[in-house]
Amino acid sequence: MKKLVAALVSLCVVAAPAHAASLRFDAVPQQGVSAVKWLGSTKLVQQRTLGRVSVVPRGLERGKLAFDVEVHNYSDRSAFFGQESVDVSSADQSLAPATAWDAERDARRKATWTRIGVAVAMVALVGLAVAAGGAPTAGQSLYIPSAPRRAAPAPDAASGTAVPETTSVPSRHLYSGRILVERPKGALRGRDLSLMVRFNGEDYPFSYTLSEA
């Protein structure tokens, strides 16, 4: 019976949602790019003739990599900016963008499958217990331990408005928003992460080294 209980606990641990590993973003020194500590992260700022762009990594949000991007239009004309203005890549992987709605949908889907997995594991092991010890008779009870408790994950920080498809930034104005991209595949051990922001006809490259803390 002890082995059965141990097997039940093991299956429940596997089926229960795992904590998302915290990520560490180390800024890579670049000429013309200044780095400052900003709200617990490293903000990279780059200025050119027609504008200024800053990037702040926000770690994982609903399973996606999140970055706050701010653009400041120095020119005398409006400039367009949107999700398609930012390319994020890691090694040879191009990380696909995701809207806030996509990320929320994926998070709900993962939570649903996790609950189904726990339920299936419990039902299967109840059947094994009955088969091993026979059906409980009157006066007998079958002990089924509850799934191990896990600390509730910290709620997502307020993300504000995700970067829409396109936004017109007037002259002498700034705009900021959060972009979400897919997490790189494979282990994250000193993985190079590159962001290319295109704004007002100018390119703003940024680089980080991404690791699991």
Side-chain angles (χ1 to χ4, degrees), residues 153-175:
D156 292 328
S159 60
T161 304
V163 175
E165 293 301 320
T166 54
T167 298
S168 179
V169 184
S171 171
R172 311 301 173 183
H173 282 68
L174 61 83
Y175 171 81

Side-chain angles (χ1 to χ4, degrees), residues 20-105:
S22 58
L23 301 181
R24 176 176 174 177
F25 294 80
D26 294 317
V28 176
Q30 298 172 252
Q31 186 175 4
V33 178
S34 59
V36 294
K37 293 297 181 181
W38 184 265
L39 299 178
S41 187
T42 302
K43 179 179 183 179
L44 297 183
V45 183
Q46 190 172 170
Q47 183 171 320
R48 296 200 179 280
T49 305
L50 301 179
R52 182 183 66 194
V53 173
S54 66
V55 173
V56 182
R58 289 302 183 196
L60 284 175
E61 182 174 315
R62 305 180 188 92
K64 313 292 183 184
L65 292 185
F67 301 89
D68 286 342
V69 181
E70 181 182 272
V71 294
H72 195 162
N73 186 6
Y74 287 170
S75 71
D76 295 327
R77 64 179 185 275
S78 295
F80 288 98
F81 182 76
Q83 181 83 53
E84 71 279 3
S85 304
V86 183
D87 290 329
V88 185
S89 60
S90 176
D92 57 349
Q93 300 178 38
S94 179
L95 306 183
T99 64
W101 185 88
D102 290 334
E104 187 66 31
R105 178 200 58 194

